Amino acid sequence: MSSPLSERYRRLGEFLRLKREGLLPADVGLPSSGRRRAQGLRREEVASIANVGVSWYTWLEQGRAAGASLEVLDAVARALRLNADEHRYVLGLARGDSGARVIAPSPADHARYGELVKTITTPAYVVDPCWRVIAANALAKECFDVDAGTNKLEQFFLDDAFAGRFVNPDMIGRSLVEQFRAQWARYPDDSIFDTLAQRFSTRSALFRKHWDGHAVGESYRGDVSFTHATLGLLTFEALILTLDGEAQLRLCTYLPRHQDRMSSAGAAHEAT
């Protein structure tokens, strides 16, 4: 039975391999050498670009990252053209705090953030790293059917009717998976993430597609557009803010592109 540390090193190796296989020589300034037996760059090419030993890089892909220095990891990240979110993910898996655990919010947190979201005049809710909602305002309930206790991943990936309201469910699904995986790197050995990932992978082809592709990101890609039952098509710019400088809780707010419609929805809530 593998240990939590060996499992995260395995995930790191798989991620690096997928990123390497997704690059062409031209992507990193290398001349094309004609026909290749395998897709993507060779391990030797990545090691050369990163100026690290081929053995070191091979060990990383084989899940043997113990002892890898920040300098090696940074060099590999640059060689693979990783973006900032992917770079942080690599560091989290290779050197993250093995003692970090997701802490359940206290009743005081629920009350405090419940009051916070009530002051926001656009849809807003607060989630923990596993996308469990701990507070939501009335507009979040109206637009996204979100309330305290909802798990956003479960709502989107396990409710086809809900996901079908979105104009581009594949994009939304990818963004949710990206953020979930990025959060996991902050708590690399907390089994709650693996439990949730296995559950959603088993029951959702869309989750499995992006999870197996190792998508990583800290926020949404593009606008969020969906069809509301009474207001019609609504489009939002999603904004994710970390609360109190912590990685534990995040405030998700949605800035409407159709202010007139959202104003009508807000007025309806005031009237009730």
Side-chain angles (χ1 to χ4, degrees):
M1 185 173 184
S2 63
S3 68
L5 189 60
S6 63
E7 173 59 21
R8 75 154 106 151
Y9 288 166
R10 184 197 66 77
R11 296 201 312 266
L12 171 62
E14 185 176 359
F15 177 75
L16 296 177
R17 177 183 59 79
L18 287 172
K19 299 305 293 187
R20 173 177 61 81
E21 291 177 350
L23 288 173
L24 297 174
D27 296 329
V28 295
L30 293 177
S32 175
S33 56
R35 194 171 205 176
R36 291 179 169 236
R37 288 183 298 174
Q39 67 183 76
L41 297 179
R42 302 184 181 96
R43 288 175 175 171
E44 295 82 359
E45 291 169 329
V46 174
S48 176
I49 295 169
N51 196 28
V52 302
V54 176
S55 294
W56 253 121
Y57 181 74
T58 300
W59 291 339
L60 287 176
E61 281 201 9
Q62 290 176 342
R64 300 158 63 189
S69 67
L70 280 173
E71 290 76 16
V72 167
L73 295 169
D74 289 344
V76 168
R78 289 192 295 270
L80 291 174
R81 303 303 193 260
L82 303 187
N83 61 35
D85 294 340
E86 293 168 336
H87 194 156
R88 280 191 289 269
Y89 178 68
V90 165
L91 296 181
L93 291 183
R95 300 174 64 89
D97 181 3
S98 61
R101 294 291 184 272
V102 176
I103 305 300
S106 68
D109 287 329
H110 283 269
R112 179 165 54 133
Y113 294 121
E115 291 302 313
L116 170 64
V117 295
K118 286 180 183 178
T119 68
I120 300 174
T121 59
T122 61
Y125 53 88
V126 176
V127 294
D128 75 358
C130 300
W131 282 98
R132 295 175 293 204
V133 179
I134 71 164
N137 66 12
L139 280 174
K141 176 67 174 177
E142 165 70 15
C143 292
F144 299 115
D145 197 23
V146 169
D147 210 343
T150 303
N151 183 293
K152 288 298 296 176
L153 293 176
E154 179 175 327
Q155 182 185 42
F156 185 87
F157 289 108
L158 303 186
D159 185 342
D160 291 339
F162 178 82
R165 293 165 53 189
F166 290 83
V167 172
N168 191 344
D170 186 76
M171 183 272 288
I172 299 297
R174 178 184 173 91
S175 291
L176 287 170
V177 172
E178 286 178 337
Q179 293 172 74
F180 180 66
R181 189 179 283 280
Q183 288 296 97
W184 191 355
R186 293 187 171 91
Y187 312 92
D189 298 332
D190 193 326
S191 62
I192 183 62
F193 290 92
D194 186 57
T195 298
L196 290 171
Q198 288 186 27
R199 180 186 177 209
F200 297 133
S201 291
T202 299
R203 299 179 59 184
S204 169
L206 179 58
F207 182 94
R208 185 167 59 251
K209 166 188 172 182
H210 294 303
W211 187 253
D212 290 348
H214 286 254
V216 181
E218 296 285 355
S219 191
Y220 283 100
R221 294 171 175 266
D223 289 342
V224 176
S225 298
F226 69 98
T227 303
H228 188 275
T230 58
L231 300 176
L233 181 65
L234 295 177
T235 300
F236 297 89
E237 176 188 357
L239 183 62
I240 311 297
L241 303 173
T242 301
L243 296 172
D244 297 335
E246 301 173 355
Q248 281 282 323
L249 302 176
R250 293 179 297 156
L251 172 66
C252 304
T253 60
Y254 295 84
L255 309 180
R257 299 297 194 190
H258 301 292
Q259 187 63 48
D260 54 336
R261 295 183 180 181
M262 286 308 303
S263 297
S264 298
H269 275 291
E270 290 296 329
T272 58

